[in-house]
Amino acid sequence: MDKARPSIKDLHARLSQGETKSVDLTQQSLDHAKNSDSLGTLFLSLREGRAMAAAEAADQRAKQGKRLGPLDGIPIAIKDNIVMKDEVATCGSQFLRDYVSPYDSHVVGKLKEAGAVIIGKTNLDEFAMGSSNEHSAYGVVRNPWDRDRVPGGSSGASAVCVAAGIAPLSLGSETGGSVRQPASFCGVVGVKPTYGRVSRYGLVAFASSLDQIGPFSWWVEDAALLLQVIAGRDERDSTSAAQAVDDYPQTIQKPIDGLRVGLVRDFTATDLDAAAEKNFSTAVEAIRGLGAKTVEVSLPHLKYAVGCYYVINSAEASANLARFDGVRYTSRSKDHGNLKDLFVNSRTQGFGVEVKRRIMLGTYVLSAGYYDAYYGKACKIRHLIREDFIKAFAKCDVILTPTSPCEAFPLGAKLENPLQMYLSDVFTASINLAGLPAVSVPSGFSEQGLPFGLQIIAPDFAEGRALGVAHHYQQSTDWKDMRP
Amino acid sequence: MKPVERYEAVIGLEVHAQLSTQTKLFCGCATQFGAKPNSNTCPVCLGLPGALPVLNRQAVEFAMRAAMATHCSFVTPKAAPHKSLFARKNYFYPDLPKGYQISQFDQPLAVNGSIAVQFDEATRKIGITRIHMEEDAGKLLHDSLGQDADKSLIDFNRSGVPLIEIVSEPELRTPEEAAAYCRKWRQLVRYLQICDGNLEQGSMRCDANVSVRPRGEKKLYTKTEIKNLNSFRHIQKALAYEIDRQITCYEQGEAVVQETRLWDADQEVTRPMRSKEEAHDYRYFAEPDLLDLQLTSEWIAAVKQVIPELPDDKLERFRQEYALSTYDALFLTQDQQCADYFEAAAAALSADKGEKERFKEIANWMMGDFTKALKDYAGSFATTKVTPKHLASLVELIATEAISGKIAKSVFAEMFQSGQTPEKIVTAKGLQQLSDEKQLRQIVEKVIDAHPKEVQQFQEGRDKLFGFFVGQVMRASQGQANPRLVNELLRAVLSK
Amino acid sequence: MDVAGNRSNWRRTQVVRERSAKPSFAGSNPAGAFSYEVEKMRVGKEEVLRIAALAHIKIEPGEIDHYTKNFNEILDFIAQMNEVDTKQVSSAFHPASEPSTPMRADTPQPSLTTEEVLRNAPERFADYFLVPKVVE
């Protein structure tokens, strides 16, 4: 019996040959989803009837030999901050508990065109603000490798879906590591595309200059496939890149002999758990074993990345969340005498603590008298961080770091201390600031049996290269045969 | 010196013009006025979660026209391609769906222009500080619910409509001048065909910033902002009131508070706006969902091509080419359609001597009977049944004495209603002026014979009776006798 | 792939603002020290309440200390940024790769139906959204 989970390629073959049916795959996914209480609140909505109907349509196409492509009939879960027409999008918040979107996001449109079967909307930290999926208004999500631990965030549930085998693919979103970090904590593959690579139209905005939608998968080649489907210019998103989309499944096959791999010398021992450091070194050795050459690079402004990131993300978020006001489509506070109360009470009741904290921080750093010191300063530092990467990429083709400074932490461990929580973004946030692509691929386990991830960072629009490194590395390891 | 003479007013105006594009600034919803509520809205202009703005090229072009017509500079850098940035202006209000307005703050579209304002027979150049683009908000309706008067209704059809904001330097000095400035902008946006300039309907809006200072001083004193000025008359009245109010404050040793005040058109006073107690901290920052707006030299050149002859240039040309007085030229060029009509009529005149007088005649008709008729029947020079050629023909019929000036008025009235040519009307109604000397002589002699008593009185010195004889001749000829000839003949006969 | 050639122009210029300078950050707490005296805080309770009001959020009296403490810890951490000399940095950075904002033709596109628009409205009246009366 094949120990490995089926890849999309395998499923594609079985579906094309009629060995498997999409309705069976979809039913399995839905049943698994409904029987996963031990993993916390994974789904905020399941599309049972509609998903089955889509699966039936896929099977019809397969019977007629008219499958739309490798994703046709494949179950996929999407994060609940990615809107879908006629489906509720809560963004993990009470404020949007009944909000039904009248339109499809761009990526949902692409998935529908590809015939993918969207089974439901996954839980997340409220409005994507968090690194542990503990800030959802609908309950926590638990790490399948140890149910007393967090899965990471904010796309925790999307990562768990793939890790637990509920669906072979899922979509999450990134602002400062919200795909890569849960991928690392849950032992799955997570991709953050180059900024602008995937349209943000229909992604509920958190921080507009940082957000990107990214795939989760078990196999790197599956992430490559999914990315190819959702990537590309969308004229409804002014920040969407016109750059042609690579054939990622093709690109990743290229061997990595002689590839120059940069190792960052600027993070100190205190940034990393000992176990994480050891895991990282082992992974680096494995990459060398595949023919890559390592070289030291310096990112001198890396230590300011988290601070810079929090100023910028909270500033943009404070504006992006101003539309949630109790007027047009959010829940509305029952106690409002006048208009001002309606706004204030609705927002106070609708938003959770972390969201309120972020909004206030953002309001503060943009406010009169403080703009230059905080937001103005952060924008300049962002520029310097970006330059660091550009200079480093003159010497190497990809840069490696651990995805996270530690393994998944216990539920509740960092809730009281937001700053501690923010620091878990130390390796990921700088990438969003610079707009670069990065992949997190499973790199082994801690002594407690918790996964680690290796982060591979590439220059603009070179996600194919990063995926290639991840692919070859994955092929050379046994981690993909492990199950939670 | 009276208090008001010891002070001078310092006025700056902010004019918002709604651009007459087909679609909104950041989405493809229609901008057409009068649609059913909330029927021209989409995720973008409603501020739904996940929606993103995409800029309307035509709106930018319209804004560029306004900037170029007032000799503004496009901002940064000095040489093309120029870059302009959009920014978020953050505040909460129920008609503002995103909780921020996409506007421009740093690096607006254009700066440092000027506009010539004709006022009181003088022309003053008023500086334009900046012109920038921004989106409009939705519309709040109050008191539409009768008994449920503690609620307001919101219609987002207007949300996202493109606006330009035009900020003047504080160089206006009187309420009349301010109204003239506003009128000039109305004229200009209509010439540029970028906005219909209707203050009452709100396609053009005006806010004023006003302060006063002792005459002769250069520094600026505290200013107040006045809103809700929805006609030229209101602009003038409100400013006059506010200037007076501020002078009174200073005279009584009180300070003028920096605040926003609403013009109450019923009470004819300004009063402080309640909702503006808290000073707004708009927390401007560059809009991350949009990239730089780039204005290339090719684009600028292309827009320049479509800018028509502007009112000031046309005014000057009319004075020169048609030998019209400034007053007449101002009237005719107030509006492009009127000016075009005049020129078409002028062109339709046969190249003949006496042309200059005929230009003046055309002008007179247009300024007089024609404008009155248009007003009475809610028409316009663009849609009237009277073609420029018809008007030219009418003027020529008078000039050649085919009809009298008096008869011409009724001919014109007929032309206006029916669209018929003046020649046809004259023929059909037999209105030709009677200029046949033999026939006229007969009528004159008949009249003279019929009134011997008056003849005698006239010859004894009652000169005023001449008019009586003229009147009688006109009556006898159904008003068609050529007045000039009648005069000559009567004089000849009566002096015998 | 040559990265240096891509995106070599920094798109966002600094939004220049004449604002009063914030008091200096001399003597900020190192990121590791989380015990806090309310009196030594960079941002006091009144300021936190003012910011909350600006953001249209209400903080209950029982929560104010907690929010203030967190706020200050985060700001102290962020204050590290002042170590960086940014005098030579003329512009901020936006990661979008196109040099200028795309523009669309002025052609009307279908709008949402009024029903779709009002579907999620907490309160409506006929074709309008309903809110408590707005007083000017």
Side-chain angles (χ1 to χ4, degrees), chain B residues 23-24 38 107 143 290, chain C residues 12-13 104 106 127 131 133:
Chain B
T23 62
K24 297 184 177 184
N38 291 305
Q107 292 190 46
D143 309 323
L290 295 171
Chain C
R12 290 267 178 267
T13 45
R104 61 183 169 79
D106 194 26
D127 293 332
V131 289
K133 184 152 173 128

Side-chain angles (χ1 to χ4, degrees), chain B residues 261-316:
Chain B
R261 300 175 71 92
L262 269 185
W263 170 246
D264 180 335
D266 297 321
Q267 301 292 315
E268 298 206 336
V269 295
T270 63
R271 54 176 97 260
M273 266 182 90
R274 251 172 289 180
S275 62
K276 303 267 184 170
E277 287 151 17
E278 12 160 284
H280 275 292
D281 180 355
Y282 292 119
R283 309 187 294 289
Y284 286 99
F285 67 102
E287 170 59 78
D289 287 332
L290 295 171
L291 312 185
D292 297 351
L293 172 55
Q294 242 188 39
L295 303 176
T296 60
S297 40
E298 293 78 23
W299 196 13
I300 292 168
V303 173
K304 201 166 187 167
Q305 298 284 13
V306 304
I307 293 180
E309 184 184 31
L310 295 176
D312 293 341
D313 297 327
K314 205 187 278 287
L315 174 75
E316 198 40 44

Side-chain angles (χ1 to χ4, degrees), chain B residues 103-177:
Chain B
S103 175
Q104 295 191 288
F105 181 68
D106 184 48
Q107 292 190 46
L109 185 81
V111 296
N112 293 340
S114 67
I115 189 168
V117 178
Q118 286 86 9
F119 170 67
D120 237 5
E121 317 215 320
T123 302
R124 268 192 71 204
K125 246 198 179 140
I126 304 295
I128 309 284
T129 313
R130 57 188 273 151
I131 296 179
H132 74 245
M133 301 180 65
E134 58 187 30
E135 53 177 350
D136 209 345
K139 218 164 168 133
L140 282 167
L141 292 100
H142 316 291
D143 309 323
S144 303
L145 292 169
Q147 53 269 74
D148 215 349
D150 64 346
K151 301 279 191 195
S152 288
L153 306 173
I154 321 178
D155 173 10
F156 288 99
N157 281 349
R158 199 184 66 176
S159 163
V161 166
L163 301 173
I164 46 171
E165 177 174 328
I166 303 151
V167 181
S168 81
E169 291 288 335
E171 290 170 357
L172 297 161
R173 291 285 170 267
T174 69
E176 293 74 24
E177 208 171 52

Side-chain angles (χ1 to χ4, degrees), chain B residues 1-10 173 175 210-215 221-222 224 239-256:
Chain B
M1 233 201 273
K2 286 209 299 230
V4 69
E5 287 157 18
R6 281 204 293 275
Y7 294 87
E8 76 173 346
V10 177
R173 291 285 170 267
V210 53
S211 65
V212 299
R213 66 186 172 197
R215 210 170 271 282
Y221 283 57
T222 309
T224 59
L239 284 172
Y241 174 87
E242 182 62 18
I243 290 166
D244 202 57
R245 186 189 77 84
Q246 289 190 14
I247 291 176
T248 308
C249 274
Y250 288 128
E251 288 287 292
Q252 290 176 356
E254 285 167 22
V256 165

Side-chain angles (χ1 to χ4, degrees), chain A residues 99 102-103 200-203 208 235-239 319-320 322-323 328-329 339-340 347 363 366-368 371 375, chain B residues 43 46-54 88 90 92 94 97-98 100 154 156 278 281 283-285 288-291:
Chain A
Y99 173 73
Y103 74 102
R200 291 183 298 116
Y201 183 74
L203 170 65
S208 315
E235 42 182 46
R236 295 168 299 186
D237 173 358
S238 297
T239 61
N320 283 327
R323 67 191 64 199
R328 283 149 295 125
Y329 50 73
L339 189 67
K340 186 77 181 283
R347 286 166 64 81
T363 306
L366 288 174
S367 67
Y371 178 97
Y375 187 74
Chain B
L46 279 173
L48 294 191
L52 295 170
V54 182
R88 292 188 183 178
N90 299 282
F92 289 92
K98 295 186 293 291
Y100 59 85
I154 321 178
F156 288 99
E278 12 160 284
D281 180 355
R283 309 187 294 289
Y284 286 99
F285 67 102
D289 287 332
L290 295 171
L291 312 185

Side-chain angles (χ1 to χ4, degrees), chain A residues 32-63:
Chain A
H32 197 344
K34 286 187 283 193
N35 290 316
S36 298
D37 287 346
S38 66
L39 291 170
T41 310
L42 285 185
F43 281 89
L44 295 170
S45 59
L46 274 177
R47 297 183 72 228
E48 302 186 69
R50 291 186 283 284
M52 290 307 286
E56 272 158 25
D59 285 331
Q60 273 304 317
R61 289 191 291 270
K63 218 156 97 180

Side-chain angles (χ1 to χ4, degrees), chain A residues 145-160:
Chain A
W145 301 88
D146 177 343
R147 283 156 173 67
D148 293 324
R149 301 224 175 206
V150 301
S154 57
S155 316
S158 282
V160 171

